[in-house]
Amino acid sequence: MTSDQYSHLRRFRRNATLRNMLAETRLSPANFIYPMFVVNGTGIRTPIEPMPGIDQVSVDTAVEEAQKAAEVGVKSVLLFGIPDEKDASGSRSTSPDEAVQRAIGAIKAVLPETHIITDVCLCEYTDHGHCGIVSGDSVDNDATLPLLAETAVSHAQAGADMVAPSAMMDGQVAAIRAALNESDFSDVPIMGYSAKYASAFYGPFRIAVDSAPRFGDRRSYQMAPTQGREAMREIEADLEEGADLIMVKPALAYLDIIKEASMRFDAPIAAYNVSGEYSMIAAAGKAGWLERDRALMEVLTAIKRAGADLIITYSAIEAARILASG
Ligand code: PBG
């Protein structure tokens, strides 16, 4: 073989400038969404053991976190609320006095440009830990819809810029769209957790918000990891119901789903780099088993390359700092 008989792709890799010029995928803090766990009280920063670097925050410390994010160009946050009292119907989820509703106003007051998304689900608010109303040993889809709709409206009333229903109840996007429109929030978009899988990678999150189901699991409403085509039907259904953005969650074990969705649908796609994905890199990095920063950027790049427009990640601030340091 002579050198004119094979391709010369290595010519592209000769130096950093050239590699950077030809990069097909670029990460930007503008595409990151930073999730936060908000509790009642003040001055609180309670570390979440399996997620080093991530704390439960009260409204005031949530504002500090949102400021840290904004300073490095991450201007979107996703809020989860943890109430003091949980009950069977998750009734605290609609209260204007709860942590999420108050955090929205507090963040907006200091950072009017920060785009605030709220997670709409009942699992953080129910004493049984399921994402809806339980009847017998199952979750009642249609009884749950009005509660999710009310929760979304209460977030919009508090000033949320976008709502993100994650309960995986059929019809949740339609119910929320109708309720928002009725309450004059027709310009508040919905990001559907459209293809959300029943995943072991949510483990650390459930510790963070104390939402592990007290009985059973979420397999009767979240998707089985075996399903690819069904994910496309879930996404299609959400879009038909009026979702403005769609989401695939988790991200890493489902890059094929992100890719296929990005080729099939013209709606913006978010991917959720979930808690367990964060914990894996944190733990292996801490043990010295891999280079944490490089592993993190590789993972985020892969999620973007697969077709995600937006990446929800607990590493948003850190990744933005790494990007800024070149
Ligand atoms: C449900 C919800 C979950 C996550 C986001 N929204 C947990 C679940 O379905 O059990 C998981 C996020 C993560 O693991 O980072 N409200």
Side-chain angles (χ1 to χ4, degrees):
M1 271 263 259
T2 58
S3 69
D4 53 359
Q5 290 175 304
Y6 48 82
S7 68
H8 294 88
L9 292 167
R10 282 191 58 199
R11 285 180 191 143
F12 290 153
R13 301 172 196 151
R14 290 186 62 201
N15 61 57
T17 303
L18 189 57
R19 288 193 294 270
N20 193 29
M21 278 166 68
L22 295 173
E24 297 174 39
T25 308
R26 270 179 222 284
L27 292 169
S28 162
N31 302 129
F32 297 157
I33 298 171
Y34 182 55
M36 295 198 280
F37 302 110
V38 194
V39 295
N40 293 298
T42 50
I44 297 173
R45 273 190 182 277
T46 310
I48 297 163
E49 199 204 341
M51 302 176 72
I54 304 295
D55 303 325
Q56 287 184 354
V57 287
S58 47
V59 170
D60 55 328
T61 44
V63 174
E64 289 171 15
E65 280 295 295
Q67 265 168 324
K68 265 198 252 168
E71 274 161 26
V72 290
V74 177
K75 294 193 178 176
S76 181
V77 296
L78 171 63
L79 303 183
F80 293 91
I82 309 167
D84 292 339
E85 308 271 327
K86 306 192 185 214
D87 60 25
S89 63
S91 61
R92 297 302 298 166
S93 70
T94 56
S95 165
D97 304 324
E98 267 301 332
V100 160
Q101 283 85 348
R102 286 186 298 113
I104 297 167
I107 293 169
K108 276 280 163 203
V110 181
L111 299 163
E113 282 179 17
T114 287
H115 186 85
I116 303 179
I117 309 171
T118 57
D119 182 82
V120 176
C121 191
L122 298 183
C123 69
E124 300 94 346
Y125 297 89
T126 54
D127 52 11
H128 45 69
H130 278 290
C131 300
I133 295 294
V134 168
S135 96
D137 58 2
S138 70
V139 174
D140 186 334
N141 192 86
D142 292 3
T144 303
L145 297 180
L147 300 180
L148 295 173
E150 253 184 83
T151 303
V153 169
S154 95
H155 292 171
Q157 279 165 344
D161 295 299
M162 179 149 83
V163 295
S166 67
M168 283 301 275
M169 294 298 122
D170 291 327
Q172 63 184 9
V173 170
I176 289 172
R177 186 70 273 159
L180 287 173
N181 291 358
E182 254 165 54
S183 310
D184 282 333
F185 293 113
S186 57
D187 53 0
V188 172
I190 299 174
M191 174 163 71
Y193 279 69
S194 310
K196 176 171 174 182
Y197 287 86
S199 173
F201 292 100
Y202 306 153
F205 173 95
R206 292 182 189 169
I207 295 171
V209 305
D210 183 28
S211 73
R214 296 289 175 269
F215 63 90
D217 53 43
R218 301 209 209 291
R219 284 176 230 212
S220 73
Y221 41 105
Q222 299 179 346
M223 289 181 58
T226 50
Q227 306 307 86
R229 283 184 294 162
E230 195 180 317
M232 299 306 123
R233 294 186 67 193
E234 283 283 2
I235 293 170
E236 214 164 79
D238 268 14
L239 289 171
E240 270 166 24
E241 289 178 32
D244 301 280
L245 290 87
I246 55 180
M247 192 201 298
V248 175
K249 176 184 171 193
L252 272 192
Y254 302 90
L255 293 176
D256 58 325
I257 308 298
I258 298 172
K259 180 78 188 174
E260 191 168 345
S262 74
M263 294 194 309
R264 257 198 225 210
F265 303 102
D266 291 329
I269 300 183
Y272 201 139
N273 177 217
V274 300
S275 58
E277 298 171 355
Y278 178 89
S279 301
M280 285 195 298
I281 290 184
K286 200 167 156 203
W289 292 340
L290 47 69
E291 289 174 56
R292 181 167 174 271
D293 290 2
R294 274 187 66 202
L296 167 63
M297 299 317 269
E298 190 172 329
V299 157
L300 296 177
T301 300
I303 295 170
K304 184 105 188 251
R305 193 190 62 231
D309 300 291
L310 299 172
I311 305 177
I312 303 166
T313 177
Y314 301 98
S315 308
I317 295 177
E318 207 141 13
R321 285 186 186 144
I322 294 170
L323 288 171
S325 71

